[in-house]
Amino acid sequence: MRQIFFDTETTGLAAEGGDRIIEIGCVEMVNRQLTGNNLHLYVNPQRASHEDALRVHGLTEAFLSDKPLFADIADQLLDFLAGAELVIHNAPFDIGFVNAEMKRLRRPPITDTVGSVRDTLLMARDLFPGKANSLDALCRRLEVDNSNRKLHGALLDAELLAEVYIRLTRGQDSLVMDDSGGNAQSAEFKLAAIDLSSFVLPILQASEEEQLAHERVLGELDKASGGKRIWQSA
């Protein structure tokens, strides 16, 4: 199975409001093995980034001014992604931006090119309900080293996401049930029968001091319940 861990950096948060993609990071995994066949692209958005976004990614208008336009890298990107499963943290954000760029070029949405899209944010929310599930939070929880993540970067974040995904899904292969009709016992643990009657368990008697403490606690419970202890001795 070919998977691409995918991330973008953008000029802001509003794809439909005119914000643009400025960086794309793609990390390839085949059959749960990272291949090293990655794709990293900078894109000239032909506009400045919002101040908040610039503080996040640090990619200035001057740095991006000599980079290709999205129209110039679209075919390269689509060829790399074709048929693969995209794995994205908060997929609607990145897919929305790519589709907005494709719409400007009057081309079909990215979902017409890729095989499928998997959202690791939804996966994390199912596994860790009620907890922080940002990429940084998952790196801390799953012990993925993100010490180099001083600023957000599309390729770095895609690499971190690949490591997070491997740890999120570790052991799943061993949970796949074999329905081929073979001998199921060969895949099961075989436990030796143990005769428990051979064990002699010691009986520990409460000391007088422990018995008195126990009676005091029962008395307090009896008082608190208005004499309704259902375990009270006859």
Side-chain angles (χ1 to χ4, degrees), residues 211 214-234:
Q211 187 65 37
H214 178 65
E215 291 298 332
R216 283 197 299 272
V217 171
L218 290 181
E220 291 171 1
L221 290 174
D222 190 44
K223 181 179 179 180
S225 65
K228 297 179 180 178
R229 284 195 288 135
I230 63 174
W231 62 88
Q232 188 168 5
S233 302

Side-chain angles (χ1 to χ4, degrees), residues 70-224:
F70 186 89
D72 299 325
I73 58 93
D75 286 334
Q76 181 185 5
L77 177 64
L78 294 176
D79 288 346
F80 188 81
L81 300 180
E85 178 184 72
L86 292 193
V87 184
I88 308 173
H89 202 66
N90 191 17
F93 179 86
D94 299 275
I95 293 295
F97 266 91
V98 176
N99 283 344
E101 296 285 0
M102 299 299 288
K103 185 177 180 180
R104 292 184 184 97
L105 301 178
R106 298 183 179 181
R107 299 183 67 165
I110 190 67
T111 46
D112 286 7
T113 297
V114 302
S116 59
V117 177
R118 183 187 297 262
D119 192 339
T120 51
L121 179 57
L122 298 181
M123 292 173 59
R125 285 173 176 170
D126 285 341
L127 290 169
F128 310 112
K131 295 186 177 181
N133 287 304
S134 67
L135 185 56
D136 277 335
L138 290 175
C139 285
R140 289 191 296 270
R141 188 174 303 136
L142 300 172
E143 298 182 344
V144 173
D145 182 8
N146 65 341
S147 57
N148 291 326
R149 197 187 190 217
K150 308 304 181 186
L151 293 172
H152 289 210
L155 184 61
L156 173 60
D157 288 0
E159 290 171 339
L160 290 173
L161 182 59
E163 293 294 333
V164 164
Y165 175 83
I166 289 171
R167 299 187 187 208
L168 278 177
T169 59
R170 180 173 292 161
Q172 281 192 356
D173 292 344
S174 64
L175 299 178
V176 176
M177 297 183 66
D178 181 10
D179 59 357
S180 61
N183 184 0
Q185 289 186 348
S186 63
E188 297 177 352
F189 290 106
K190 296 181 181 179
L191 300 178
I194 299 175
D195 183 6
L196 298 179
S197 65
S198 62
F199 291 89
V200 178
L201 300 179
I203 299 175
L204 303 179
Q205 300 290 345
S207 67
E208 183 178 353
E209 182 180 353
E210 291 170 335
Q211 187 65 37
L212 289 173
H214 178 65
E215 291 298 332
R216 283 197 299 272
V217 171
L218 290 181
E220 291 171 1
L221 290 174
D222 190 44
K223 181 179 179 180

